[in-house]
Amino acid sequence: MAAPEPEESDSARQDALEDEQEENEHWGTMWFDTTSNEYLTEIAAPSPISCRQCSQTESRLSRRDTQRSRTTVADGDVLNRERLQERLVRRFWSESVTISWLVFFSLLGTLARLGIEAIATYPNAPFLSTVLWANLGGSFFLGFLIEDRKLFEKVVQRSLSPETSKDDEKRGATIKARKTALPLYIGLATGFCGSFTSFSTLISDAFLALSNSLPSPSPSSPYHAIPVTSIYSRNGGYSFMAVLGILIIQTCVGVSALKAGAQLALELQPIVPALPVEVLNNCLNLVALPIGIGSWIGAILLSIWPPGGPVWRARATLPLAFAPIGCLARFYTSKYLNPMLPAFPLGTFVINIFGTCVSAMCFDLQRAESTRAPSSITACALLQGVIQGFSGCATTVSTWVAELQSLMRRHAWVYGIASIGVALSCQIVIVGPVRWTIGLKNASCMV
């Protein structure tokens, strides 16, 4: 097997190059001026670079490339960091505006519910559960908001693709889906409609009907009810019919109102104006923060110094002070728990049950026929604020019936029966022993 020829040494190679250079210099002087750099022969060119110089040059080039790559990576990191900071700022601003709208509209929804309940307490009222009208109104308005595709059309339309914009069906479905992320829509749907309706009050009225403790309106004066001690006893079968009547009527009215609101939105679609983008971004969202936080601070100050005397603490100001807390608790509970089980809205279920339990405990403390029950009007008003403000806004009927409509029929039945069954069972366990042992009395702050 033939082996490769040995390479020449560096000294032999250098001697050969020098001899060749001397010979070419001799011939080069015959034709060209060797002092001029314009006509250089191959041998008259600069001498070749040694291996050490090659390694130094390569190291310099590698350092230069490394420095350039580091500069490029650094520029990319700076750009990504700026984009991340910009995204965080936008998210923080959007979250702040959303919370402000929730606070503001929860106050409006609570005021609307308290006013409707007061108006519905009149002599010879056909239905004793006065929260029925509030649940009807909140479900109706939520159905309108869900089905409406014109109010937020201009805001959502900017992010639509050309293909989606040309297809009316896809365009309407996309607008209907994407508008749910807008802060103003969240404030109207979750803040106002959710606070306008109350699941805990519905369950409380169902238990009072079951235990024959649901007060009737005064036969002589509006806005007043007869004392609980003046209710005549009746057969247990009548109480069973009463609780079924409240549960069936409340649920059916909520679902029917939701569909009626959706139908109204479809009928009014040609004439409903679209909200301009400039008005929403440059006007409404900018004033949301001072309006929301300022209104909440005003409600707290009115609770400390009520304008119409201490009685207004229980009837209006303290429920308003506790309302945003319940609304925000419902919003974030549903936001993080609902996606876990698509067939069973876990967040709405959990907050409805929790709010009902809190309402039941405060109801016990407020109305127990015992010397340990709070006799001062201030303590009674605080409990009433938690019942009507926190629990009333933490629990919702409008979202509940909307979820019943969005689920498959079998899942809707499971979700609806579980919500009512668990909530009513908790109410019976918490309030039942007090009602059937020491008894209940009228709240001292609601006389």
Side-chain angles (χ1 to χ4, degrees), residues 261-283:
Q263 185 63 36
L264 181 64
L266 293 176
E267 296 296 332
L268 298 180
Q269 187 171 347
I271 62 175
V272 173
L275 186 65
V277 181
E278 295 78 10
V279 174
L280 179 62
N281 294 334
N282 301 332
C283 182

Side-chain angles (χ1 to χ4, degrees), residues 4-211:
E5 297 181 357
E7 296 181 356
E8 296 181 356
S9 63
D10 294 340
S11 60
R13 186 181 303 170
Q14 187 68 21
D15 295 337
L17 289 174
E18 290 178 356
D19 295 339
E20 185 177 1
Q21 183 178 4
E22 290 178 357
E23 183 179 0
N24 284 293
E25 285 179 355
H26 172 72
W27 290 101
T29 54
M30 296 174 61
W31 302 97
F32 308 103
D33 185 7
T34 57
T35 60
S36 175
N37 292 330
E38 186 177 359
Y39 303 101
L40 291 176
T41 62
E42 294 181 0
I43 305 302
S47 60
I49 302 176
S50 63
C51 297
R52 181 177 299 177
Q53 292 176 341
C54 290
S55 62
Q56 292 177 355
T57 303
E58 291 177 357
S59 63
R60 285 198 300 270
L61 292 176
S62 63
R63 286 197 299 269
R64 186 183 304 169
D65 294 340
T66 304
Q67 185 176 4
R68 289 179 179 177
S69 63
R70 288 178 179 176
T71 304
T72 305
V73 172
D75 294 340
D77 292 341
V78 171
L79 182 60
N80 293 333
R81 193 179 298 111
E82 291 178 354
R83 290 178 179 176
L84 180 60
Q85 291 177 353
E86 183 179 359
R87 189 180 305 171
L88 291 176
V89 170
R90 289 182 179 179
R91 184 177 299 177
F92 177 77
W93 171 250
S94 178
E95 195 77 10
S96 302
V97 174
T98 302
I99 292 175
S100 300
W101 282 130
L102 287 172
V103 170
F104 178 69
F105 283 112
S106 67
L107 298 175
L108 294 183
T110 305
L111 276 176
R113 172 163 45 85
L114 295 176
I116 290 293
E117 289 183 2
I119 294 174
T121 306
Y122 57 90
N124 301 320
F127 198 73
L128 300 183
S129 181
T130 56
V131 77
L132 173 70
W133 296 100
N135 291 341
L136 185 150
S139 301
F140 181 86
F141 189 48
L142 181 62
F144 181 90
L145 288 175
I146 291 175
E147 199 61 36
D148 173 71
R149 303 178 185 182
K150 293 289 293 183
L151 187 60
F152 299 98
E153 180 183 15
K154 292 183 179 180
V155 182
V156 181
Q157 193 173 6
R158 297 189 304 172
S159 60
L160 298 181
S161 62
E163 294 78 7
T164 305
S165 300
K166 295 178 181 179
D167 192 340
D168 292 338
E169 185 177 355
K170 291 183 179 179
R171 180 168 166 272
T174 306
I175 292 175
K176 183 179 177 181
R178 292 187 180 180
K179 69 180 182 181
T180 57
L182 299 176
L184 181 58
Y185 179 87
I186 294 174
L188 289 171
T190 305
F192 180 77
C193 296
S195 302
F196 194 8
T197 61
S198 177
F199 186 83
S200 62
T201 306
L202 185 157
I203 298 299
S204 179
D205 288 349
F207 169 78
L208 293 178
L210 178 64
S211 61

Side-chain angles (χ1 to χ4, degrees), residues 298-322:
I300 295 174
L301 295 178
L302 288 176
S303 300
I304 299 174
W305 299 286
V311 67
W312 282 101
R313 287 197 178 105
R315 295 186 180 274
T317 59
L318 279 173
L320 291 177
F322 286 101

Side-chain angles (χ1 to χ4, degrees), residues 295-369:
S295 300
W296 194 2
I297 294 175
I300 295 174
L301 295 178
L302 288 176
S303 300
I304 299 174
W305 299 286
V311 67
W312 282 101
R313 287 197 178 105
R315 295 186 180 274
T317 59
L318 279 173
L320 291 177
F322 286 101
I325 303 175
C327 180
L328 293 175
R330 171 166 48 85
F331 172 69
Y332 284 105
T333 303
S334 301
K335 179 180 179 180
Y336 292 109
L337 295 184
N338 278 353
M340 294 183 178
L341 295 175
F344 192 93
L346 187 60
T348 307
F349 175 80
V350 169
I351 198 63
N352 276 348
I353 302 303
F354 176 75
T356 301
C357 292
V358 172
S359 175
M361 290 185 290
C362 293
F363 189 87
D364 274 351
L365 296 174
Q366 186 187 49
R367 298 172 183 255
E369 189 68 50

Side-chain angles (χ1 to χ4, degrees), residues 225-304:
I226 64 174
V228 178
T229 54
S230 302
I231 300 176
Y232 293 99
S233 61
R234 65 188 178 194
N235 187 276
Y238 298 137
S239 297
F240 179 75
M241 293 174 62
V243 66
L244 282 183
I246 286 182
L247 294 177
I248 293 173
I249 292 175
Q250 290 271 16
T251 305
C252 292
V253 166
V255 174
S256 301
L258 184 78
K259 292 185 175 182
Q263 185 63 36
L264 181 64
L266 293 176
E267 296 296 332
L268 298 180
Q269 187 171 347
I271 62 175
V272 173
L275 186 65
V277 181
E278 295 78 10
V279 174
L280 179 62
N281 294 334
N282 301 332
C283 182
L284 295 180
N285 286 341
L286 292 179
V287 301
L289 194 62
I291 287 179
I293 304 302
S295 300
W296 194 2
I297 294 175
I300 295 174
L301 295 178
L302 288 176
S303 300
I304 299 174

